Amino acid sequence: MTTPEPRIRLLVVDDQPLVRRGLTLILAPDPGFEVVGEAEDGRQAVELAHRLRPDVVVMDIRMPVLDGVGATEELARTLPDCRVLALSTFDMDEYVVAALRAGAYGFLPKDVSPEDLGAAIRTVHAGEAVVAPRLLTRLISAYVRVPLGAPPQPAVAPGDLTPREVEVWRLMATGLDNAAIARSMDISSSTVKNHITSVFGKLDVRDRAQAVIAAYESGLVTARSGGGDQAGEEG
């Protein structure tokens, strides 16, 4: 007899009781999930996460006491195995980029369907990013800025990326998924994945979201050159 997979332990965080309860009611019936707690602000979320050790924190961004960005940063530092999935009422929200930079594994709007929310939680639990490239580049091109008066950093990462790796990084940052990068460079998808793994290592970033942020901050791409809408949903 096959042993069932252990349930994913969830902590739901939102300052609005109705939203918090609604998320719990959506997630609790799924046999793959166990909602172990609820928190009404970021400080309480951090305290409960240390006590309850959830696998995934479904985290509202805008909250009193300690917002979702601050809570995410603290959890990423002190409980690195606890994944954060950020939620926001607004698709275009500068707090979302801050949360991704702080260590969130993904972002979804609050009006996401129950099915997509469940799928995103499973993806985040597996250690993968869940922000669609198209939405990610829109967010980052709008809110990530090189400081005024500061010249862009060289568009070559620490660790000396090869020219092929720089091109993969650039195409990733303009919103292309792996299949589109493969077509653009006339290489296989498996080769693209190998290059992306190498890029992550040399940039010292954890996932696609942080790699795209780094591309904008380095000057490799700009708001004008980034953000194509041709990207698919691949993380």
Side-chain angles (χ1 to χ4, degrees):
M1 184 175 178
T2 304
T3 303
E5 291 288 327
R7 292 193 291 175
I8 299 172
R9 295 166 55 82
L10 304 176
L11 176 63
V12 175
V13 186
D14 197 289
D15 63 323
Q16 299 181 47
L18 285 176
V19 174
R20 201 165 61 239
R21 176 49 44 183
L23 287 169
T24 296
L25 290 174
I26 287 171
L27 296 169
D30 190 312
F33 298 148
E34 179 185 3
V35 179
V36 297
E38 298 179 12
E40 63 184 16
D41 59 58
R43 176 53 55 204
Q44 189 179 67
V46 172
E47 293 170 356
L48 283 177
H50 277 269
R51 189 165 85 236
L52 301 174
R53 298 303 173 105
D55 300 306
V56 176
V57 178
V58 180
M59 179 88 76
D60 185 23
I61 292 294
R62 298 184 182 230
M63 295 182 294
V65 184
L66 179 66
D67 65 20
V69 176
T72 296
E73 186 173 23
E74 191 163 337
L75 288 174
R77 185 179 67 253
T78 61
L79 289 178
D81 291 334
C82 178
R83 322 287 195 195
V84 173
L85 174 61
L87 299 182
S88 175
T89 304
F90 308 101
D91 282 358
M92 296 296 286
D93 187 339
E94 68 272 22
Y95 281 75
V96 174
V97 171
L100 293 170
R101 188 186 282 116
Y105 272 72
F107 155 72
L108 290 176
K110 282 189 177 179
D111 61 359
V112 66
S113 71
E115 294 78 15
D116 287 345
L117 176 59
I121 288 170
R122 288 181 169 87
T123 300
V124 164
H125 181 247
E128 300 173 10
V130 297
V131 184
R134 178 167 51 204
L135 177 57
L136 179 64
T137 52
R138 281 173 49 211
L139 281 163
I140 292 172
S141 66
Y143 295 113
V144 174
R145 295 287 182 268
V146 176
L148 290 175
Q153 296 300 310
V156 177
D160 298 324
L161 269 69
T162 67
R164 182 61 62 92
E165 289 167 349
V166 171
E167 181 62 8
V168 169
W169 185 27
R170 185 187 68 79
L171 292 173
M172 187 194 324
T174 59
L176 299 187
D177 63 16
N178 290 3
I181 293 172
R183 290 193 297 271
S184 176
M185 298 182 66
D186 194 25
I187 57 179
S188 69
S189 291
S190 61
T191 299
V192 171
K193 290 181 179 179
N194 290 338
H195 283 316
I196 288 174
T197 298
S198 180
V199 168
F200 287 177
K202 291 181 178 180
L203 286 173
D204 192 26
V205 299
R206 190 200 58 224
D207 57 29
R208 198 181 199 98
Q210 293 187 349
V212 175
I213 290 172
Y216 277 88
E217 291 180 330
S218 74
L220 178 67
V221 293
T222 65
R224 181 175 297 176
S225 65
D229 275 347
Q230 67 270 55
E233 298 299 305
E234 182 176 344

